[in-house]
Amino acid sequence: MKILSIQSAVAYGHVGNSAAVFPLQRIGVEVLPVYTVNFSNHTGYGAWRGPLISPDDVREVIRGIEDRGVFGEIDVVLSGYQGGEGIGDVILDAVARVKAANPSAVYACDPVMGNARSGCFVAPAIPILLRERVVPAADIITPNQFELGFLTGTEPDSIESTLASVDAVRATGPRTVLVTSVERPDAEEGTIEMLVVDDTGAWIVQTPRLPMKANGSGDVTAALFTAHYRRTGDAADALARTTSSVFDLLQTTLDSGSRELKLVESQEAYAHPRMQFTVRQVR
């Protein structure tokens, strides 16, 4: 499997491609990383150095890959944090070119905007761009519950309302939706859930909620789920494998006391997930 991954990159720590590439490689995926920013560290520190990469420069890198004649071998285009406003057009152009070369290729979009605790942390034009142009072109999307609400103009806060919001966003284009953080008042205390819906059904998985904030964990989740799902076509299995791997990554990080993901130290969790959580069909 080959994935063209168009995301941010940092030198210190693990977010964007700096979070997604190694876990994908560890499960046997060939990754072609294209950077949208090249920062010293993620912006959660409040200070960072390095450039946003211009849309023209990102486009040139992608065109250079196309010149090598490999677009026909690419199975997935994966995108995450987009940086500047013009990157969306570059990504959509890349998706169209890859699909022209390989009609079986899919586009997986992690519509990064923000979260319920921090609100939006991207440029004001990005959420609108994602909702109106990028998400409708995607085959797979991996929003958190906050992002799902923005995409659909809803406030999902239960399994039923989250499923209704997923149905609304699926009607705009993407057939497979992974909601990476389902929070609801009636859930068991100290837990959090993930939900996936595709044409064959809907499944949810519950894990303990770990007392930490882990920048980059969503990027790992989107990457692993996309790869597993593309490989097998089984949404429930992809959800179970991804949940197992990401939980153990987070537990290892928490136990270490590190602010940054222990990405390398957790590599066995990607290659050989323990499958310790039960996936339940809800529709």
Side-chain angles (χ1 to χ4, degrees), residues 14-36:
H14 302 290
V15 299
N17 268 332
S18 302
V21 171
F22 177 69
L24 288 172
Q25 291 171 331
R26 191 64 181 83
I27 64 170
V29 175
E30 183 74 27
V31 188
L32 290 70
V34 175
Y35 301 154
T36 56

Side-chain angles (χ1 to χ4, degrees), residues 135-136 141 152 164-177:
V135 164
I141 62 170
T152 57
S165 297
V166 168
D167 289 342
V169 78
R170 290 180 75 233
T172 71
R175 303 310 305 159
T176 303
V177 179

Side-chain angles (χ1 to χ4, degrees), residues 185-204:
D186 58 340
E188 183 180 345
E189 186 175 356
T191 65
I192 193 165
E193 294 163 313
M194 284 205 293
L195 171 76
V196 65
V197 182
D198 71 0
D199 288 339
T200 65
W203 294 266
I204 199 165

Side-chain angles (χ1 to χ4, degrees), residues 126-194:
I126 295 293
I128 297 169
L129 171 71
L130 287 168
R131 181 180 63 199
E132 296 183 356
R133 297 189 56 219
V134 178
V135 164
D139 301 288
I140 302 167
I141 62 170
T142 59
N144 60 37
Q145 198 171 28
F146 171 84
E147 292 159 344
L148 176 65
F150 179 87
L151 291 172
T152 57
T154 60
E155 296 184 5
D157 61 356
S158 66
I159 292 179
E160 292 75 17
S161 61
T162 301
L163 284 168
S165 297
V166 168
D167 289 342
V169 78
R170 290 180 75 233
T172 71
R175 303 310 305 159
T176 303
V177 179
L178 174 69
V179 186
T180 59
S181 58
V182 177
E183 302 185 57
R184 53 191 176 96
D186 58 340
E188 183 180 345
E189 186 175 356
T191 65
I192 193 165
E193 294 163 313
M194 284 205 293

Side-chain angles (χ1 to χ4, degrees), residues 46-58:
W48 65 93
R49 297 179 186 269
L52 286 169
I53 299 175
S54 75
D56 286 343
D57 286 340
V58 176

Side-chain angles (χ1 to χ4, degrees), residues 42 44 115 118 210-215 217 250 253 258-259 261:
H42 69 69
N115 56 61
S118 304
L210 297 175
M212 63 187 298
K213 178 182 178 181
N215 296 88
S217 58
L250 293 175
T253 302
S258 172
R259 178 171 179 173
L261 292 175

